[in-house]
Amino acid sequence: MDVPDLSNEPYAIAEEVSPLIRRVLARNASPFSYTGTQTYIVGRGDVAVIDPGPLGDDPAHVHELIRILGGERITAIMCTHTHRDHSPAAAPLAEATRAPVIGCAPLVLSDDGPRADAGFDPTYNPDGILADGEALTGPGWTLRAVATPGHTSNHLCFELEEEKALFTGDHVMGWSTTVVSPPDGDMAAYMASLALLMERDDAVYYPAHGKPVENPQRLVRGMMGHRKQREGQILRLLERGVELIPDMVADMYKGIDKRLHGAAGRSVLAHLIDLRDRGIVSECGDAWSLPS
């Protein structure tokens, strides 16, 4: 994973990325969140705020959003999912502006293993939950929910119909592959969600981390190919008699920081669970094998 250069990042300002979209970057940069979580403001006057961001890593972010919006009215605070770098700022922003929190369903897991992203937000308490295909509207904008489970089971993307744009949260990022960490992260669901995006004709993706994706179908095709390559690596290791996930990680992720091996192991586990559920591999305790 790249270590970003933060010297020129536009913190504490609203960066206009399209006629209907402004971006405000939170100061929670890390090797896992890149330059930070990108909060998006959609519309003018009456606006929606997508992924209001963290609290602990950037307590000033809520105040900056309120200052930036000035006399504009937030009609909805929308969260793609409930990891702690995305949704905790929803509650104080809603309290300050009386805006409803509408978006993904609540989800909290106390521990789902070593990870390369944030844990779950226990404070998320939405006023409304959007089902797949449901939309919110404002003056000149329409945001429609697109269910994309996989990174988390409650993950939503939001389509801005007027610009054929898709806010992809962590489902598709602009700088790195997405973490899929069981038990909630599900590789089969993730691949199905990527296949769903391949069938769409979105012109641009706006991820929560990284730059806009201006050729989205090509990126999604590459992401699906990358996951298939990982699956092939795992099957070849099993053919060689490598049974344990740490041993697989050591072979598959040569050259990466060993501090990331725990998170990489979660991705390998997600692949193995998918392969098991398809009847391709067998599990016995911590050991995995091809059926004899």
Side-chain angles (χ1 to χ4, degrees), residues 245-255 261:
I245 289 176
D247 296 332
M248 295 181 193
V249 170
D251 189 285
M252 294 169 63
Y253 294 88
K254 293 175 181 175
H261 278 199

Side-chain angles (χ1 to χ4, degrees), residues 6-28:
L6 306 178
S7 58
N8 295 315
E9 290 301 322
Y11 294 109
I13 66 170
E15 183 182 21
E16 297 200 17
V17 296
S18 83
L20 283 174
I21 302 168
R22 288 166 281 176
R23 178 190 86 144
V24 184
L25 183 60
R27 296 181 186 85
N28 61 321

Side-chain angles (χ1 to χ4, degrees), residues 73-291:
R73 184 173 74 96
I74 301 175
T75 60
I77 301 166
M78 306 176 71
C79 297
T80 59
H81 63 297
T82 51
H83 279 159
R84 281 198 286 258
D85 56 333
H86 288 257
S87 58
L93 185 60
E95 182 178 359
T97 63
R98 299 185 179 180
V101 178
I102 303 173
C104 68
L107 171 66
V108 176
L109 296 181
S110 59
D111 180 18
D112 57 349
R115 49 191 318 119
D117 59 351
F120 286 92
D121 169 21
T123 69
Y124 179 72
N125 184 27
D127 300 290
I129 297 169
L130 288 180
D132 183 45
E134 290 187 328
L136 293 178
T137 61
W141 56 265
T142 306
L143 286 167
R144 190 170 302 278
V146 180
T148 48
H151 173 65
T152 60
S153 59
N154 65 343
H155 196 286
L156 296 177
C157 295
F158 299 116
E159 174 192 7
L160 178 58
E161 294 184 351
E162 289 76 7
E163 295 190 358
K164 293 187 70 174
L166 191 68
F167 298 95
T168 56
D170 282 0
H171 182 59
V172 175
M173 297 191 290
W175 74 287
S176 177
T177 55
T178 297
V179 174
V180 180
S181 180
D184 186 64
D186 185 297
M187 188 61 69
Y190 176 68
M191 293 295 286
S193 295
L194 288 179
L196 170 69
L197 294 196
M198 282 296 297
E199 298 173 359
R200 296 174 54 87
D201 63 348
D202 304 294
V204 62
Y205 292 168
Y206 293 109
H209 309 280
K211 295 180 180 180
V213 178
E214 296 179 348
N215 195 332
Q217 284 73 26
R218 183 173 66 185
L219 177 63
V220 171
R221 188 180 301 110
M223 293 172 67
M224 295 178 75
H226 170 74
R227 294 295 184 178
K228 287 296 184 183
Q229 288 176 343
R230 288 296 192 204
E231 180 180 290
Q233 283 181 288
I234 291 168
L235 291 174
R236 288 191 293 273
L237 287 169
L238 291 172
E239 288 174 355
R240 287 166 39 194
V242 180
E243 298 181 333
L244 301 178
I245 289 176
D247 296 332
M248 295 181 193
V249 170
D251 189 285
M252 294 169 63
Y253 294 88
K254 293 175 181 175
I256 74 165
D257 189 329
K258 289 187 178 181
R259 291 174 296 179
L260 303 179
H261 278 199
R266 303 304 295 179
S267 177
V268 172
L269 175 60
H271 277 292
L272 285 165
I273 291 171
D274 178 35
L275 289 165
R276 180 200 65 192
D277 292 347
R278 289 153 53 195
I280 299 173
V281 306
S282 299
E283 176 186 9
C284 182
D286 293 332
W288 298 81
S289 64
L290 296 170

Side-chain angles (χ1 to χ4, degrees), residues 52-63:
L55 277 182
D57 292 329
D58 187 3
H61 189 58
V62 170
H63 301 292

